[in-house]
Amino acid sequence: MKIIRSTKCSTKFATEKKKQELHTILQEYGKVVNCFVDYFWDKDFKKTQLLKPIVDIPETWLSARLRKVAAREALDMISASKERWKNQPKKLVKPTHKCKRMYVSCTIADLKDNKKAKEFDAWLHLASIGNKITMDIPIRFHKHYNKLCIKGKRLNSYIITENYVQFVFETETGTKKEGKKCIGIDTGINALASLSTGQQLGLDIKQGIERVKRCKQGSKGKNRARRALKQRIDEVAKEVIKTNPDLIVVEGLKNLGKNSKLKRRLSKNIRRSIGSWNWKYWLGRLEMQSEWNRVSFRTVSPYNTSITCPNCGLVDKKNRDGEVFHCQSCDHTDNADLNASRNILSRFLTGPYGASYKPINI
Ligand SMILES: [Zn+2]
């Protein structure tokens, strides 16, 4: 399985003059993209039609090569915007490039090793920009860059902004694991992860979240608390992988399709427990760790998972009372979060996606 990862390296080693020049290029580039957006907006245009007369439309000193890059980006922006609002055409507006970033490939940029200076590791060489500009941006690699370098292959595409250059790597992780250990995970405030195996991880998450809440908005303390919380969430995601699952099932909103009313309500429910931002971050980290470790990652609809009895199937709000699950019909009793995690797993295994999975260890 191939996965794509990216990392950012700062442009802070560049001289003021270079930074200024980069700023000028980005401004001009954005202007040209917006000019193309204006031109393409009400036409049905394809990338294969980007011939010279079209590429020459904007009045600019950018090279033909970079103008073509800009034209392609304009088409991408338009189709992304149309795709996003295809069900609500009234909200569709013409996209605008903010002159903040430029997405280029090997036709414009090239990374060259730097063997002379000690302060940085490589030059990002930019050419064919136009106006006879060429530029070398000094780059220093960091731990994350080096890690990606070892695990994967760097691709020849770059996102350039005034403050950083983003590099993209493709990593081959091998085929997905064949084993059949499936675990369901419930996300909550008492334990960040309650596993259907009976384990609970991240029991200290509540403290971390409350610490962030207590700190004053915009204060240094708040940033520190938020960083610590993120780090803790990262750790818990790794701890989950250490239990050696082959497949992870979580509650998500992906499978709900167009039922946006239900989606909103459910989303409010789960997010309320740990906060919407934390919830997204947590699922993102868990999915990323799964990818790295060749673990399959699936989501099921979060509908009633916390109030369903796994024993007799009774769905009743009264089944859950805070941290305790107690079935009103058959008396089955359990930790409420662990109970939810088992429902999540069984929803996957019995649902349309899980038919082929035969777990040996629940
Ligand atoms: Zn029951």
Side-chain angles (χ1 to χ4, degrees), residues 309-314 319 325 327-332:
C309 173
N311 228 9
C312 68
L314 176 75
N319 282 354
F325 183 91
C327 178
Q328 302 296 301
S329 159
C330 73
D331 254 4
H332 168 75

Side-chain angles (χ1 to χ4, degrees), residues 252-271 302:
L253 300 164
K254 279 184 198 162
N255 302 325
L256 281 176
K258 283 186 189 137
N259 196 341
S260 56
K261 218 174 182 179
L262 180 65
K263 214 168 181 170
R264 265 204 301 280
R265 203 180 79 215
L266 292 174
S267 131
K268 217 169 116 193
N269 272 343
I270 7 181
R271 288 174 198 198

Side-chain angles (χ1 to χ4, degrees), residues 18-85:
K18 277 185 193 170
K19 280 186 195 158
Q20 190 52 49
E21 211 166 17
L22 197 54
H23 176 82
T24 313
I25 295 168
L26 286 167
Q27 291 297 316
E28 186 66 17
Y29 177 80
K31 199 187 90 189
V32 171
V33 172
N34 288 331
C35 169
F36 279 123
V37 170
D38 285 340
Y39 180 78
F40 295 142
W41 182 243
D42 43 18
K43 300 182 182 66
D44 188 20
F45 218 85
K46 292 191 183 62
K47 283 187 186 170
T48 48
Q49 295 169 292
L50 291 176
L51 302 172
K52 193 170 180 302
I54 305 290
V55 175
D56 283 344
I57 288 172
E59 258 181 60
T60 175
W61 47 264
L62 292 188
S63 68
R65 224 176 246 183
L66 199 50
R67 269 180 270 143
K68 202 163 181 178
V69 174
R72 281 203 207 102
E73 177 153 10
L75 287 173
D76 285 338
M77 283 163 68
I78 292 172
S79 62
S81 181
K82 287 187 174 162
E83 175 65 29
R84 175 155 187 225
W85 301 113

